[in-house]
Amino acid sequence: MDLLQLSDLQPADIRHIWSLVNDGASPVLSGTVGWSCEGSGIRTRTTFIQAFRQLGLAFTELPRLLQTSERPEDLAGYLDPFYALYVVREPDHARLSAFAKASRRPVINAMSAQGHPCEVLTDAYYIDTAIQPLRDARVCLWGPSTNVFRSWHELAQVEGFELVQVCDRHFHEPLPQVAFAEPSHLPGAVDIVITDSSPAHAGSGAAAQPALTPLTAEHLAALGSPALLPTPPFMLGRELALDPLAYPGFVGYAQKQLLLPVQAAIVRWALASKADCSAGQGATQVSSQIGL
């Protein structure tokens, strides 16, 4: 099964993926990953490559996989015989979706302009296991909507919990499961605050500059001194007015270590799901040692 956006999943899919994290199994998979990571993506690149190695998967770098004029269906038709799955970090979400639709292999979105599902599944897993069950947690997004926040919006709809998003009124949207608030009218105590790099257009133009409100120590105190999870890379003075290392509730470094086991679980889930759907169709076979 593909993982392009969290709205495509069911709650059972999410719980299945999470059940594979540190489940004690030592799966040995077979096959080769078609791996394309546009942009720097230093954390995404680090943890996915380590996940492939841990799972026994070979991988081939495919630079600019979807950034040529070649049709997605032709790319999939030529490449599918050589790969068990694709993991792709590609800004153009529509082109990534077209490629996934054409391919007979699972495709994992390692980040697009529309969403960052693997990152958000990791963050949500941390909240669910280290803070309190996700459906009971008070999760606050700080700032205007980004690809990370879009994936949080989707997850809230799938799982049926409400998010709080704090940003200037200019950025408020009518979204299900999202309660918007302004920095001057904070919603009370929350369990965790998540920030993300502000969209490039959000601060463009003199009139828009005041609409970006960096998170301060005073804001965190008014929110009940919650855990702080800045999505990297963060910039002091833009998303954050305080150094998170000086804040006792900063959980970023330790929490992001979960990217590796969660991404490995996503790969296992995608391969197993696609293997179930492709049985008897001549698809690349996944080793019987998957252990699912």
Side-chain angles (χ1 to χ4, degrees), residues 126-288:
Y126 170 79
I127 294 168
D128 193 70
T129 56
I131 296 181
Q132 63 173 315
L134 185 62
R135 293 178 184 178
D136 300 327
R138 288 270 288 168
V139 179
C140 176
L141 309 178
W142 188 278
S145 294
T146 63
N147 57 351
V148 171
F149 289 0
R150 295 291 182 204
S151 288
W152 268 107
H153 298 162
E154 294 173 1
L155 183 62
Q157 293 180 51
V158 171
E159 286 286 336
F161 65 92
E162 186 175 87
L163 291 165
V164 173
Q165 185 166 339
V166 179
C167 55
D168 185 87
R169 182 177 297 275
H170 175 74
F171 299 111
H172 292 192
E173 307 170 66
L175 293 173
Q177 307 300 131
V178 183
F180 280 89
E182 294 190 75
S184 58
H185 295 85
L186 294 179
V190 299
D191 295 303
I192 188 166
V193 176
I194 300 171
T195 68
D196 191 22
S197 300
S198 299
H201 66 272
S204 61
Q209 287 291 346
L212 293 176
T213 304
L215 181 67
T216 67
E218 291 74 21
H219 290 138
L220 287 167
L223 291 167
S225 299
L228 173 60
L229 180 56
T231 303
F234 53 81
M235 294 177 59
L236 301 185
R238 188 169 172 84
E239 301 88 52
L240 300 168
L242 76 161
D243 187 336
L245 299 184
Y247 178 66
F250 172 64
V251 297
Y253 294 166
Q255 186 276 333
K256 290 304 176 189
Q257 293 179 35
L258 289 173
L259 285 169
L260 175 55
V262 173
Q263 288 169 354
I266 291 168
V267 170
R268 292 173 61 189
W269 167 83
L271 281 171
S273 299
K274 198 71 170 189
D276 291 342
C277 295
S278 302
Q281 297 180 14
T284 301
Q285 294 299 306
V286 180
S287 169
S288 61

Side-chain angles (χ1 to χ4, degrees), residues 101-120:
K101 183 177 180 180
S103 176
R104 292 173 292 124
R105 306 290 183 250
V107 177
I108 295 172
N109 175 7
M111 193 191 80
S112 71
Q114 180 172 314
H116 207 340
C118 299
E119 183 98 11
V120 170

